[in-house]
Amino acid sequence: MNKFLIFLLLGSIALINCEIQEEEDVLVLTTSNFDEAVNSNKFLLVEFYAPWCGHCKALAPEYAKAAGKLKSENSEVRLGKVDATVQSELGERFKIRGYPTLKFFVDGTPLEYNGGRTSDEIIQWLKKKSGPASVTVNTVEELKKLQGENEVLVVGLFKDVNGEQAQTFNNVAKLVDSAAFAITSEQAVFDELNVESSEGLVLLKNFDEGRNDFDGQFDSEEIKRFVHANQLPLVTEFNQESAQKIFGGDIKVHNLLFASKKADNFETVLGEFKTAAQNFRGKVIFVLIDSDVDENERVMEFFGLKKEDAPTVRLISLGQEMSKYKPESNELTSGNLQSFVQSFLDGKLKQHLLTQDVPEDWDAQPVKVLVGKNFNEVARDKSKTVLVEFYAPWCGHCKQLAPIYDQLGERFKDNADIVIAKMDSTVNELEDVKVQSFPTIKLFPKNSDEVIDYSGERTLEALAKFVESHGQDGAAAGEEEETQQPEEEQGEAREEL
């Protein structure tokens, strides 16, 4: 009998140990329980995070709020989290390259999460991916309820909800995660929205003019353009909540106003900025960045700006190659701003590239210091092989590399054919060399126009072999390199801009 009781007790302990723990309604996932969680939940959103990551800390309360709301609704969707610094096997298994990384598992298959970072945006994205992309509206009361719950609501009105145009609308709803979509065939809703034809599309919003009516062809691309053009205010203030809508849409040209909301002339400057914005809706997004907000300091650094530079404007184009532009005049009138943006659209502006002055002692140490003004002279010197590290002062991986890189400089300091150099890419930019993450290491071989990316180990011997082989050992493969870097080091500038 005693043996039987012990057996039952051990079995109970085993069951308790296997039970997945929760923190604020978020499943705490580990290497031992991860597969069980994925297999037992049809829909599971998983955040891979690091305890030290600032973006992870900012996301945590919103993530927990979303988890709690979905759980209270008895939703099929659950939220989980993995401390990837502890559960390293899971990080390697799912190729986690930055924090936080979110993956959405549907019947065990992982999909990339590309929704927003607020609880409402997380829930909206999950409901779209796990159910109908458009909510069916049967009454005016349901319409008003949805309108109250959503900052932006896109309503499709179709007498035939199974027709081709309605299907096109639903297809767009699946693709656009930044707005809520509703569909109806009810005459009362048609009357409420004053739609007299047999089909219509209305975007309702709780800002600016409050409503936009679609008057184009019911084509997927036209509907997407209409939504992206009208889902944001004329001027959108940059913050964590608005970032996804600003940078996740199809409009990749952004005009940024850096200004202090405490300044005496703030309302005047903002008024001029808004007036200029009216002429570019659907082409350029106008963004306000409050220079008094500490979290925006990194953004200002990215543009080479300090608080005392505000108010000022910069334009950024986020196409295949990111480029920045600066207006000639410091007078922020609506006329000057309109001329500045139109000149960019007409292809008349030259990129604004940051550069420091050349330090007097730039070549005093074994590792030479490059800036924008002396880069071509040194790195493009075909009589030498030049290795350049592009770094950021705040980057943890760059700090770890620094002593190794200094040793590399010592090793080659007496070699007249080899130069080891570095450049602070947060304050120096090059038109023809794009740096996407830190540190980035590139080799400029002797007697060649070639530029070779380094993707080997960051050890003294590996780097030396790369230099001595003229880039043959340690060169990046044909596919894009994936560098194991936290998001705050690899992608923070991209996310905030």
Side-chain angles (χ1 to χ4, degrees):
M1 178 65 74
N2 287 338
K3 288 183 178 180
F4 181 67
L5 289 174
I6 292 172
F7 175 76
L8 287 177
L9 180 60
L10 290 173
S12 298
I13 292 173
L15 286 173
I16 291 171
N17 287 337
C18 289
E19 184 180 348
I20 299 175
Q21 300 298 311
E22 295 186 19
E23 291 180 0
E24 297 182 289
D25 300 315
V26 178
L27 300 173
V28 180
L29 305 179
T30 64
T31 303
S32 60
N33 68 18
F34 189 87
D35 289 336
E36 177 193 347
V38 170
N39 293 332
S40 59
N41 290 280
K42 181 177 178 61
F43 303 107
L44 179 65
L45 180 66
V46 179
E47 176 202 5
F48 294 85
Y49 72 97
W52 46 258
C53 163
H55 288 299
C56 304
K57 293 174 184 176
L59 175 63
E62 296 294 323
Y63 197 72
K65 186 178 176 182
K69 186 171 182 181
L70 288 169
K71 186 177 179 182
S72 69
E73 295 174 355
N74 294 317
S75 171
E76 283 189 286
V77 183
R78 293 302 309 271
L79 274 66
K81 62 181 180 180
V82 173
D83 182 347
T85 66
V86 175
Q87 310 299 328
S88 56
E89 289 182 24
L90 290 175
E92 292 173 7
R93 176 178 166 186
F94 292 102
K95 297 181 173 60
I96 304 305
R97 307 299 180 189
Y99 305 114
T101 292
L102 286 83
K103 291 185 179 290
F104 185 48
F105 291 81
V106 180
D107 290 325
T109 300
L111 306 172
E112 294 301 321
Y113 174 83
N114 54 14
R117 297 285 181 92
T118 68
S119 60
D120 288 343
E121 289 171 332
I122 292 169
I123 291 170
Q124 179 176 292
W125 190 91
L126 290 172
K127 287 186 174 181
K128 275 196 174 189
K129 301 303 180 184
S130 60
S134 301
V135 178
T136 300
V137 172
N138 296 309
T139 66
V140 172
E141 289 69 28
E142 289 179 1
L143 173 68
K144 290 182 177 179
K145 183 174 183 293
L146 275 176
Q147 191 176 357
E149 293 173 346
N150 295 279
E151 186 178 54
V152 177
L153 178 65
V154 185
V155 185
L157 303 100
F158 305 95
K159 291 300 183 181
D160 180 6
V161 293
N162 296 312
E164 183 179 346
Q165 293 177 330
Q167 292 304 313
T168 299
F169 176 80
N170 281 325
N171 288 337
V172 173
K174 293 175 184 176
L175 297 172
V176 178
D177 299 321
S178 53
F181 283 70
I183 189 168
T184 187
S185 61
E186 297 298 323
Q187 186 59 48
V189 180
F190 274 71
D191 294 341
E192 175 69 18
L193 295 177
N194 297 313
V195 175
E196 297 180 355
S197 62
S198 59
E199 66 278 323
L201 197 161
V202 178
L203 186 146
L204 304 172
K205 54 192 180 185
N206 62 9
F207 51 83
D208 289 350
E209 64 271 43
R211 168 175 176 156
N212 302 101
D213 289 83
F214 180 70
D215 58 2
Q217 298 293 319
F218 271 85
D219 168 82
S220 294
E221 291 304 315
E222 279 207 44
I223 296 174
K224 280 173 61 180
R225 278 194 291 271
F226 167 76
V227 174
H228 286 142
N230 294 289
Q231 67 176 342
L232 290 172
L234 269 176
V235 175
T236 304
E237 182 170 358
F238 171 78
N239 51 43
Q240 181 177 320
E241 289 74 24
S242 65
Q244 176 63 25
K245 287 187 177 181
I246 294 171
F247 303 109
D250 290 345
I251 302 174
K252 300 301 182 183
V253 180
H254 305 153
N255 198 29
L256 312 178
L257 169 64
F258 297 87
S260 167
K261 295 170 75 172
K262 299 175 184 176
D264 293 338
N265 66 341
F266 172 71
E267 291 299 333
T268 300
V269 171
L270 182 62
E272 296 289 330
F273 196 63
K274 282 185 175 180
T275 300
Q278 293 174 2
N279 295 318
F280 300 102
R281 189 184 279 282
K283 298 177 182 177
V284 179
I285 297 177
F286 279 58
V287 182
L288 167 66
I289 298 177
D290 188 349
S291 58
D292 293 321
V293 175
D294 291 339
E295 287 77 9
N296 293 338
E297 186 175 349
R298 183 70 59 76
V299 187
M300 299 189 72
E301 287 179 3
F302 182 74
F303 285 89
L305 298 172
K306 298 178 181 178
K307 286 186 177 182
E308 52 266 31
D309 294 319
T312 190
V313 165
R314 295 292 185 271
L315 186 146
I316 185 167
S317 176
L318 300 172
Q320 289 185 340
E321 292 189 355
M322 181 176 61
S323 52
K324 308 172 193 173
Y325 301 85
K326 175 184 176 181
E328 291 183 2
S329 173
N330 291 323
E331 278 191 70
L332 302 183
T333 64
S334 59
N336 284 345
L337 291 168
Q338 288 178 45
S339 177
F340 169 57
V341 176
Q342 190 60 52
S343 292
F344 166 79
L345 295 176
D346 292 341
K348 296 178 180 178
L349 292 186
K350 187 176 180 180
Q351 284 190 50
H352 174 63
L353 300 171
L354 298 177
T355 182
Q356 296 174 297
D357 290 329
V358 180
E360 290 184 7
D361 60 346
W362 71 272
D363 62 346
Q365 300 299 320
V367 177
K368 312 307 176 186
V369 177
L370 302 187
V371 297
K373 290 181 178 179
N374 71 344
F375 182 86
N376 286 334
E377 178 186 348
V378 178
R380 304 286 189 183
D381 181 354
K382 291 186 179 181
S383 69
K384 303 178 187 297
T385 290
V386 183
L387 184 73
V388 183
E389 176 206 0
F390 300 87
Y391 72 95
W394 44 260
C395 162
H397 289 288
C398 303
K399 293 173 184 177
Q400 292 174 5
L401 177 62
I404 297 171
Y405 206 71
D406 286 340
Q407 292 174 41
L408 187 70
E410 285 286 344
R411 177 174 290 197
F412 292 105
K413 69 179 182 179
D414 296 324
N415 191 323
D417 294 327
I418 294 174
V419 175
I420 307 300
K422 63 181 180 180
M423 189 174 87
D424 180 351
S425 288
T426 66
V427 287
N428 295 283
E429 297 172 327
L430 305 166
E431 190 168 1
D432 57 347
V433 178
K434 301 302 179 183
V435 177
Q436 303 297 335
S437 63
F438 302 113
T440 290
I441 300 172
K442 295 177 181 285
L443 187 75
F444 298 78
K446 182 178 179 179
N447 298 323
S448 173
D449 291 322
E450 189 178 11
V451 180
I452 304 172
D453 288 300
Y454 179 70
S455 64
E457 295 181 356
R458 292 172 188 159
T459 65
L460 177 60
E461 294 307 319
L463 286 163
K465 187 178 290 186
F466 179 63
V467 173
E468 291 167 342
S469 68
H470 300 287
Q472 297 303 305
D473 291 324
E479 296 182 1
E480 183 179 352
E481 176 187 356
E482 292 184 314
T483 310
Q484 180 75 38
Q485 296 182 34
E487 177 187 4
E488 291 192 295
E489 293 172 2
Q490 181 182 10
E492 184 168 314
R494 180 179 64 251
E495 181 176 334
E496 290 188 346
L497 298 174

